[in-house]
Amino acid sequence: MFKAIFLQKNEQAEFSASLAQLDESQLPGTGDVLVEISHSTLNFKDGLAICNKSPVVRQWPMVAGIDGAGTVLESAHPKFKAGDEVILNGFGVGETHWGCLAEKAKLKGDWLIKRPAGLSAEHAMAIGTAGYTAMLCVMGLEAHGVKPEQGEILVTGATGGVGTVAIALLSKLGFTVVATSGKPEQSQFLKNLGAAEVLDRKTLSEPGKPLQRERWAGVVDCVGSHTLANACAQTKYGGTVTACGLAQGMDLPSSVAPFILRGVTLKGVDSVMAPLAIREEAWRRLAKDLDLNKLSSLSRVLPLQGAIEAAGQIMAGANTGRVVIKM
């Protein structure tokens, strides 16, 4: 038997989320690696699933949790053996395949990477999909030639999981980071992570002109909608905007002006289905380029039974930084 955050819908389509005791025989037969999960985490998508706020879950019942770190117990996959320390991010886990907010998970070996040396399981889940996405955004900026000497980098939704890790990464790499947030009381926290300046999110969240004063050499946007549109309109000639979130909305009320008049690049960043080689490079970079002391300051650890309440806090916008779940 093992404990898990169990999501169900009955015949009347009534939803429930509970801490349940499940039998190992219930685990999906499609996985070829059995992992004892030591740590998981809560991402925005986990909050949506646990609070039934969006059709994240595609199969019922479901064990929540798109991230996990732990130790291989059994493996039929040639790359892994019992005792290996592994990380799981995405691939539809917690959506179409039972997830990692659980003491055990049966996963496909093709989805797993070996945990890099220097990162504990707790570190890995303090990073989680949010931090790994932040690294993908940084790598996207670098791939398009964005360098510290070219000017400021804007990070939107800065107190969220992606934003906090992005600030820590970019500042350590020598970039001047400007953060936007709707939580003025968290300004000093963001500056401690490495932000040089903190702006009120209202400066970007309302409808704006198609082209505005050039300011940003690059952008990490976690918000979408008008915020993303304004960020593009303020990006310098030849700059790059990485887009990975939809906290404000899925719409993009913009124009082609920044792209055809200033040569701005809008790069989409997907963490769910990213190829294994990119994942491994992102995690290698995280182990090297992320200040683990800052990581400790932006995360808190809860037991599995605290996951449902914490998911509600994420949906209410009442959470800052990362939430690690320890089994």
Side-chain angles (χ1 to χ4, degrees):
M1 303 293 290
F2 66 97
K3 293 177 182 177
I5 301 299
F6 199 48
L7 311 180
Q8 300 179 81
K9 278 190 176 178
N10 62 20
E11 294 179 356
Q12 290 74 44
E14 295 170 330
F15 171 83
S16 65
S18 64
L19 177 63
Q21 191 89 1
L22 304 176
D23 193 278
E24 194 174 307
S25 63
Q26 296 175 261
L27 287 166
T30 50
D32 53 8
V33 181
L34 180 63
V35 180
E36 182 178 46
I37 303 296
S38 65
H39 295 77
S40 185
T41 185
L42 287 175
N43 297 287
F44 188 71
K45 186 179 284 186
D46 295 310
L48 291 171
I50 292 170
C51 298
N52 197 32
K53 294 292 186 181
S54 179
V56 169
V57 177
R58 308 300 173 87
Q59 294 183 16
W60 302 93
M62 180 57 59
V63 171
I66 68 173
D67 286 341
T71 306
V72 173
L73 294 174
E74 301 171 7
S75 175
H77 192 280
K79 188 177 176 181
F80 298 99
K81 65 182 185 303
D84 285 344
E85 301 293 332
V86 295
I87 298 172
L88 180 284
N89 303 110
F91 282 115
V93 173
E95 302 174 66
T96 59
H97 186 99
W98 279 20
C100 298
L101 280 167
E103 294 172 330
K104 290 183 180 179
K106 198 167 187 183
L107 306 164
K108 291 186 179 181
D110 290 342
W111 300 340
L112 301 173
I113 67 166
K114 292 184 179 179
R115 175 156 52 83
L119 283 183
S120 67
E122 184 174 315
H123 287 147
M125 290 297 97
I127 295 167
T129 283
Y132 148 66
T133 302
M135 188 74 248
L136 293 178
C137 290
V138 172
M139 290 164 60
L141 294 176
E142 292 174 337
H144 284 84
V146 180
K147 295 179 173 61
E149 59 267 25
Q150 293 172 340
E152 298 169 313
I153 306 296
L154 173 69
V155 176
T156 68
T159 58
V162 176
T164 50
V165 177
I167 292 168
L169 283 168
L170 288 163
S171 63
K172 187 176 179 185
L173 291 169
F175 289 93
T176 300
V177 183
V178 177
T180 67
S181 172
K183 300 174 180 176
E185 72 279 6
Q186 296 295 334
S187 292
Q188 190 57 52
F189 164 72
L190 295 174
K191 289 179 179 179
N192 291 343
L193 287 179
E197 184 180 353
V198 180
L199 302 177
D200 191 315
R201 68 183 177 195
K202 291 179 181 178
T203 60
L204 288 166
S205 61
E206 301 297 327
K209 295 179 180 179
L211 283 178
Q212 300 170 35
R213 183 175 67 87
E214 296 179 54
R215 180 168 182 181
W216 319 115
V219 177
V220 175
D221 178 64
C222 317
V223 178
S225 192
H226 291 292
T227 298
L228 176 55
N230 287 318
C232 291
Q234 296 174 11
T235 297
K236 291 181 177 181
Y237 190 95
T240 297
V241 178
T242 57
C244 65
L246 46 68
Q248 187 179 4
M250 289 189 69
D251 60 321
L252 180 55
S254 184
S255 77
V256 298
F259 314 113
I260 66 173
L261 298 179
R262 289 182 179 165
V264 170
T265 296
L266 177 58
K267 176 175 172 52
V269 174
D270 166 62
S271 61
V272 177
M273 303 303 291
L276 195 61
I278 294 176
R279 290 169 179 268
E280 290 174 336
E281 173 64 9
W283 279 99
R284 185 192 69 79
R285 288 285 305 277
L286 283 160
K288 178 174 73 77
D289 293 333
L290 184 60
D291 185 333
L292 297 183
N293 291 323
K294 288 184 178 179
L295 184 64
S296 299
S297 75
L298 60 85
S299 59
R300 60 191 174 111
V301 181
L302 298 175
L304 184 58
Q305 57 264 36
I308 294 175
E309 181 180 354
Q313 293 170 350
I314 289 174
M315 288 296 93
N319 183 68
T320 297
R322 306 287 295 129
V323 179
V324 177
I325 301 298
K326 183 177 181 180
M327 302 307 151

